[in-house]
Amino acid sequence: MLSHFPFRHIDRTQLNTVKEINTATEFVQIAGVLLSFETIGQKQGKRIVAELKDKTGVIELTWFQGLSWVQKLLQTGQSYLVYGRVSYFNNQPQIVHPEIELLQPEQSIAKKFLEPVYTTTEKLKAKGLGGRQIAKLTMALLQQIREKDIEENFPENILKQLKLINRFQAFCKIHFPENKDGYDAAVNRLKFEELFFAQLRMQLIKSKRHRSSKGVVFDKVGALFNTFYHSHLPFELTSAQKRVIKEIRNDTATGRQMNRLLQGDVGSGKTIVAVLIMLLAADNQFQSCLMAPTEILAQQHYNTIASLLEQMDVKVHLLTGSTKAAARKKILAELAEGELQILIGTHAVIEDVVKFKNLGLVIIDEQHRFGVAQRAKLWEKATIPPHILVMTATPIPRTLAMTAYGDLDYSIIDELPPGRIPITTVHRNESQRSKVMDFIKAEILKGRQIYIIFPLIEESAKLDYENLMKGYENVKAYFPEPKYWISMVHGKQPTEQKEINMKRFVTHDTQIMVSTTVIEVGVNVPNASVMIIESSEKFGLSQLHQLRGRVGRGADKSYCILITGSKLGNDARERINTMVTTASGFEIAEKDLQLRGPGEIDGTKQSGALNFKLASIVQDREILETAKNIAATILELDPELSSAGNLPLKNFLNQSGKRVIWSKIS
Ligand code: ADP
Ligand code: MG
């Protein structure tokens, strides 16, 4: 009951006069004498109209419902206290359905607190638990309990340091505050409590994992890593890449199992980080495996990595569903022998028949395509669980990452390699389509390739497919064969068909790719320089950003053209504006968080990690930062929370949460 917090309060600390009411007045509380009342009107219009007079004037009160109850209560000449919202009827102020109570002569008039308003449900109401009854019960409850009944869960010094009120006071004041300051103090304390214990719980899990679960040790930086680093790196690493590599090296050298999320915007250069870490593993006589969500991506990774490592004495193979039986047999044998150091592939690499001699590192690209169960299989592939690095280009705002992934190791590449030509993003509406087509023509003439993306929303799939087909016909009319060739890819095609069409675009046999969002993840066609997104108001921000990331990968100036209808809602307009003005994935993710709220992140749905009662990771980021830092400081000094001072924390954790936390990637 105490945790059923009011969603707002009404101010009953002030007594107003009739005279001070004006058109800006919202709620008033007035004490006065009832002059008259009468029942008027018929049927729906039947109502009671009364006049209440205070020292300064007269105001009208009106009831349309509960007439018999009102009739019983009202008596001319009596004093009443009324509260309600002022509205105007025929230019006269009135209060419709005011709260009203009889004033006893000796009663002090104004109440000493803000009155809480609670949410309730129809069913609760039917059982006599409407908002007012809940308020009464809560009041009664608070009158019966004492400070000792609500155990404090913070050590004294934290309360002092952060100037937090104690837990008992917080519960009293969030329900029945004397004033706004009291309410704010209560909310602040309870928000901090929520965020702090969530942080403490996650950091405990993380530090326990670090202390207890044994991991593979990569303590040597050997010949492979060094040779590649000094002689074969095709470019200077960015300082963000260097920092991340150092973070990973620090982890893997200690003998604790790494479970790390590596975040970096599209094109930030995660692949080279993966390569260097795999070489580090090989230097320490361990095998690595890199998994990609699709065959095309796995193939692309293989091509990139095999050519990077061409002059190195290290063996790399590709294993996918379409690897031929003979090649597969050879790969499996080499894996089991330990001859093959780096395996790149799709889901095929986690099949039971794939056995490693000594797997030490697993890298998962674009994690969200892999289910938790699939990842769990990786653990069984080695006696000591391998280090796991999950790479994702979907930026997650810092506050979200802290709350959802606070128990994981976490690295960010927040810098793009130098020399990228920024992508120009523009917004066009449908009436400007022919100009857009002319622009495409000019780009194709320069030898570039074009993406045209159509939305596919599950609820309107049929309509969306029709639009896609219409769009395809339309594009074809502008760009007829044999001068132009167009690929089309969508989810209803058989996989083979899809792959053929995709390949034709990759190999530049076609100049235009018309597609739904199936091409979203990872596809790399550096020659593509224009991304056109049709009905772009239907896409979410992060999806738009992912799509835009398909261009700007080569040496040429690239463009993203967002086409929308001419009428846009506010949110859609804001999304489009954000895209036009912002290139940073992290800024876009922040904006997305503001617009949509945290929603959920893959795999965190059941964890409740983001379900706070009071706190919001959008508005309360300062409290969240403080909570995180304080939790870290406490655990650093007392990792098991075994000191007497931290007993309240430990007790509260034990009582409150056997909640499951999404504690491991695999
Ligand atoms: P992503 O993080 O999206 O996986 P990639 O690893 O595919 O990015 O890198 C994108 C492109 O940037 C590749 O062509 C890669 O060779 C190049 N690249 C990566 N790091 C650097 C760097 N430090 N300097 C210059 N180019 C780089
Ligand atoms: Mg990548």
Side-chain angles (χ1 to χ4, degrees):
M1 181 125 221
L2 287 179
S3 313
H4 182 56
F5 300 135
F7 67 92
R8 68 179 180 96
H9 285 85
I10 53 188
D11 188 354
R12 312 228 22 195
T13 63
Q14 306 290 327
L15 201 58
N16 309 98
T17 60
V18 172
K19 203 172 139 199
E20 70 191 42
I21 294 174
N22 60 44
T23 48
T25 312
E26 275 199 281
F27 288 92
V28 288
Q29 175 164 249
I30 289 171
V33 177
L34 196 71
L35 283 185
S36 68
F37 69 96
E38 58 178 333
T39 307
I40 55 173
Q42 297 293 320
K43 291 190 180 153
Q44 315 299 38
K46 193 167 169 185
R47 59 195 187 272
I48 292 180
V49 177
E51 287 179 312
L52 189 78
K53 176 182 184 304
D54 74 356
K55 273 178 259 154
T56 66
V58 176
I59 184 155
E60 201 171 278
L61 313 174
T62 306
W63 287 267
F64 293 93
Q65 276 158 19
L67 298 188
S68 59
W69 178 82
V70 176
Q71 189 117 35
K72 263 188 224 142
L73 182 78
L74 297 184
Q75 213 179 323
T76 44
Q78 271 285 2
S79 293
Y80 293 88
L81 182 65
V82 302
Y83 178 89
R85 186 193 287 276
V86 176
S87 57
Y88 278 80
F89 183 68
N90 286 341
N91 283 329
Q92 287 303 307
Q94 60 162 357
I95 307 176
V96 177
H97 288 162
E99 294 185 22
I100 181 163
E101 59 191 90
L102 209 53
L103 262 186
Q104 306 303 341
E106 74 280 12
Q107 190 178 338
S108 74
I109 293 178
K111 302 200 172 179
K112 288 200 190 61
F113 49 80
L114 299 167
E115 199 169 282
V117 184
Y118 296 90
T119 50
T120 182
T121 63
E122 285 307 317
K123 275 191 179 163
L124 282 173
K125 262 191 208 153
K127 300 280 181 195
L129 277 176
R132 302 204 67 182
Q133 285 85 348
I134 294 177
K136 269 192 192 149
L137 279 176
T138 310
M139 173 68 107
L141 174 62
L142 283 168
Q143 276 162 356
Q144 284 176 52
I145 58 177
R146 298 286 165 268
E147 194 141 341
K148 66 172 172 34
D149 297 316
I150 306 241
E151 220 174 305
E152 180 51 58
N153 51 15
F154 282 119
E156 198 55 42
N157 62 335
I158 292 187
L159 294 182
K160 274 224 183 82
Q161 184 192 340
L162 299 174
K163 299 198 177 72
L164 297 176
I165 61 175
N166 74 30
R167 198 154 196 259
F168 174 73
Q169 285 169 5
F171 278 117
C172 292
K173 289 186 179 176
I174 196 168
H175 291 282
F176 295 99
E178 284 149 22
N179 51 40
K180 179 89 169 52
D181 287 349
Y183 177 76
D184 290 345
V187 168
N188 183 49
R189 138 91 214 200
L190 292 168
K191 278 181 175 174
F192 180 79
E193 178 180 313
E194 264 187 320
L195 293 170
F196 173 85
F197 280 100
Q199 286 297 311
L200 190 66
R201 213 171 260 132
M202 278 194 286
Q203 291 183 28
L204 263 174
I205 291 169
K206 180 162 148 183
S207 85
K208 255 188 206 139
R209 191 183 71 231
H210 281 172
R211 278 175 294 130
S212 66
S213 71
K214 208 163 122 54
V216 182
V217 185
F218 297 167
D219 53 357
K220 278 201 297 277
V221 180
L224 290 172
F225 185 96
N226 281 325
T227 309
F228 184 77
Y229 195 91
H230 296 295
S231 315
H232 301 298
L233 261 187
F235 36 68
E236 168 94 14
L237 294 182
T238 62
S239 51
Q241 285 169 322
K242 285 183 193 159
R243 190 193 66 236
V244 167
I245 289 166
K246 205 173 281 166
E247 285 166 3
I248 296 172
R249 263 174 52 185
N250 284 345
D251 248 16
T252 52
T254 58
R256 64 190 200 195
Q257 192 261 336
M258 177 179 75
N259 224 334
R260 183 174 293 271
L261 184 67
L262 171 58
Q263 241 208 295
D265 218 337
V266 191
S268 60
K270 296 183 288 295
T271 316
I272 199 77
V273 172
V275 169
L276 280 158
I277 302 305
M278 291 194 288
L279 291 176
L280 184 68
D283 273 337
N284 288 275
Q285 272 68 57
F286 284 99
Q287 294 168 300
S288 314
C289 148
L290 170 65
M291 294 203 289
T294 65
E295 181 116 19
I296 294 184
L297 279 175
Q299 179 76 49
Q300 262 180 12
H301 270 313
Y302 175 73
N303 295 347
T304 310
I305 292 170
S307 88
L308 280 169
L309 298 178
E310 202 162 26
Q311 296 170 57
M312 301 281 304
D313 186 17
V314 60
K315 213 170 204 179
V316 187
H317 276 309
L318 174 70
L319 182 67
T320 69
S322 57
T323 306
K324 297 281 181 307
R328 169 180 301 263
K329 207 169 149 195
K330 188 157 170 275
I331 290 172
L332 294 183
E334 287 183 6
L335 267 185
E337 293 288 307
E339 259 174 69
L340 180 58
Q341 287 120 314
I342 296 177
L343 181 67
I344 296 170
T346 53
H347 296 75
V349 303
I350 57 169
E351 283 166 14
D352 291 335
V353 293
V354 183
K355 298 218 160 53
F356 292 82
K357 182 160 184 236
N358 50 359
L359 180 64
L361 170 69
V362 175
I363 299 178
I364 302 171
D365 201 15
E366 295 303 341
Q367 47 123 189
H368 51 279
R369 298 277 177 104
F370 276 106
V372 172
Q374 290 167 322
R375 294 180 218 144
K377 273 190 145 180
L378 289 164
W379 286 77
E380 294 153 19
K381 296 217 171 277
T383 33
I384 303 176
H387 296 301
I388 294 184
L389 181 68
V390 170
M391 307 197 294
T392 171
T394 311
I396 302 162
R398 186 177 145 71
T399 52
L400 201 54
M402 266 162 59
T403 35
Y405 297 128
D407 54 336
L408 300 178
D409 310 303
Y410 182 70
S411 289
I412 297 183
I413 305 184
D414 50 4
E415 182 185 351
L416 289 181
R420 292 276 158 87
I421 308 173
I423 301 168
T424 297
T425 302
V426 296
H427 173 207
R428 296 283 179 263
N429 66 41
E430 269 155 6
S431 63
Q432 296 160 303
R433 175 164 286 123
S434 66
K435 277 211 177 117
V436 172
M437 291 296 175
D438 290 345
F439 178 73
I440 296 181
K441 212 165 252 177
E443 284 290 304
I444 292 178
L445 205 63
K446 287 192 225 159
R448 302 287 94 79
Q449 287 167 278
I450 319 290
Y451 289 105
I452 304 178
I453 308 296
F454 285 81
L456 184 58
I457 323 278
E458 254 163 62
E459 301 91 70
S460 54
K462 192 163 169 280
L463 199 69
D464 283 344
Y465 272 115
E466 279 170 20
N467 284 340
L468 173 71
M469 295 308 164
K470 250 192 249 153
Y472 175 66
E473 293 304 328
N474 191 22
V475 175
K476 240 174 137 173
Y478 267 97
F479 300 98
E481 296 171 2
K483 188 163 179 214
Y484 302 97
W485 294 96
I486 304 170
S487 286
M488 180 166 64
V489 171
H490 60 76
K492 278 193 178 167
Q493 288 166 331
T495 312
E496 273 164 42
Q497 179 83 47
K498 231 183 332 203
E499 303 243 321
I500 288 170
N501 289 341
M502 204 95 97
K503 264 199 190 118
R504 288 183 64 215
F505 188 66
V506 172
T507 53
H508 204 167
D509 291 334
T510 61
Q511 297 99 336
I512 300 176
M513 162 68 88
V514 174
S515 142
T516 58
T517 52
V518 289
I519 59 122
E520 197 180 330
V521 178
V523 175
N524 190 23
V525 181
N527 189 49
S529 67
V530 183
M531 166 61 65
I532 293 175
I533 306 176
E534 293 278 355
S535 304
S536 52
E537 70 270 29
K538 290 192 186 168
F539 290 83
L541 260 179
S542 65
Q543 215 177 9
L544 289 173
H545 180 67
Q546 287 288 319
L547 287 168
R548 179 167 60 182
R550 298 304 108 214
V551 296
R553 313 193 133 222
D556 308 297
K557 170 77 188 157
S558 294
Y559 302 86
C560 175
I561 302 176
L562 304 171
I563 298 186
T564 67
S566 50
K567 281 208 188 98
L568 285 183
N570 283 344
D571 271 13
R573 184 171 302 280
E574 190 141 0
R575 285 198 299 273
I576 302 289
N577 281 345
T578 304
M579 286 298 295
V580 170
T581 53
T582 315
S584 149
F586 285 93
E587 270 177 51
I588 286 173
E590 288 285 349
K591 191 81 208 179
D592 202 29
L593 181 63
Q594 279 169 28
L595 286 175
R596 289 194 317 157
E600 69 197 38
I601 303 182
D602 262 14
T604 63
K605 191 175 175 184
Q606 301 92 340
S607 76
L610 302 173
N611 300 338
F612 297 110
K613 251 184 127 87
L614 286 172
S616 139
I617 60 169
V618 182
Q619 272 109 48
D620 301 317
R621 60 188 307 153
E622 261 175 58
I623 304 179
L624 176 59
E625 296 276 353
T626 312
K628 181 191 181 213
N629 295 337
I630 301 236
T633 315
I634 290 174
L635 288 180
E636 204 164 290
L637 297 171
D638 183 10
E640 306 264 357
L641 297 178
S642 47
S643 74
N646 288 330
L647 200 62
L649 298 177
K650 193 171 189 168
N651 287 343
F652 186 74
L653 275 182
N654 287 341
Q655 286 164 25
S656 68
K658 297 282 179 268
R659 277 200 307 184
V660 186
I661 297 243
W662 193 60
S663 64
K664 287 177 178 161
I665 289 182
S666 34

